[in-house]
Amino acid sequence: MSGITGSEKNADSIKNVEDGKTKLSKWLNTNFRIEMTDGRVLIGVFLCTDRDANVILGACSEYLKGSENEGEEPRVLGLVIVPGRHIVSIQLDDTTPPQKFYYDE
């Protein structure tokens, strides 16, 4: 009888968790572009997430989508918590110069 044993399933799930942690750690301190359900777009430095898909962005600015004034200045928010239930999409933002939100010692 061939099949996957419980220990093999556990090893696969641990590998998937480790892969996810590695991917998230590579994204730390990079610019994210988050589109929200109400049409707003947030661009800021990715600092943290949790199991509920909430995201914390530092040095964040808010852009209103579909506004008549395309040249409108963004609203500076600073440190924000974005609830996971309001996130439509997340992208790495390479259009904004990287901001240093952490301190080197």
Side-chain angles (χ1 to χ4, degrees):
M1 182 178 220
S2 66
I4 299 175
T5 65
S7 62
E8 289 173 340
K9 286 181 185 179
N10 197 17
D12 286 342
S13 66
I14 290 172
K15 183 179 182 298
N16 289 338
V17 168
E18 292 301 320
D19 290 343
K21 286 181 181 179
T22 302
K23 190 177 287 189
L24 283 173
S25 67
K26 287 180 184 177
W27 290 338
L28 283 175
N29 298 312
T30 60
N31 285 340
F32 267 23
R33 180 182 190 278
I34 298 179
E35 185 176 336
M36 299 178 57
T37 54
D38 61 1
R40 291 181 291 165
V41 175
L42 303 175
I43 296 178
V45 179
F46 173 64
L47 298 177
C48 183
T49 188
D50 63 14
R51 67 177 62 190
D52 296 323
N54 300 316
V55 175
I56 297 178
L57 297 177
C60 184
S61 296
E62 174 189 57
Y63 297 84
L64 299 177
K65 190 175 184 178
S67 62
E68 290 96 28
N69 299 335
E70 289 298 324
E72 184 178 345
E73 289 292 316
R75 186 169 78 152
V76 177
L77 302 177
L79 187 66
V80 298
I81 298 175
V82 185
R85 66 182 180 274
H86 295 296
I87 295 175
V88 173
S89 69
I90 299 176
Q91 300 171 338
L92 291 175
D93 181 46
D94 56 359
T95 61
T96 308
Q99 298 185 19
K100 188 174 179 182
F101 194 72
Y102 56 95
Y103 300 102
D104 287 333
E105 292 184 31

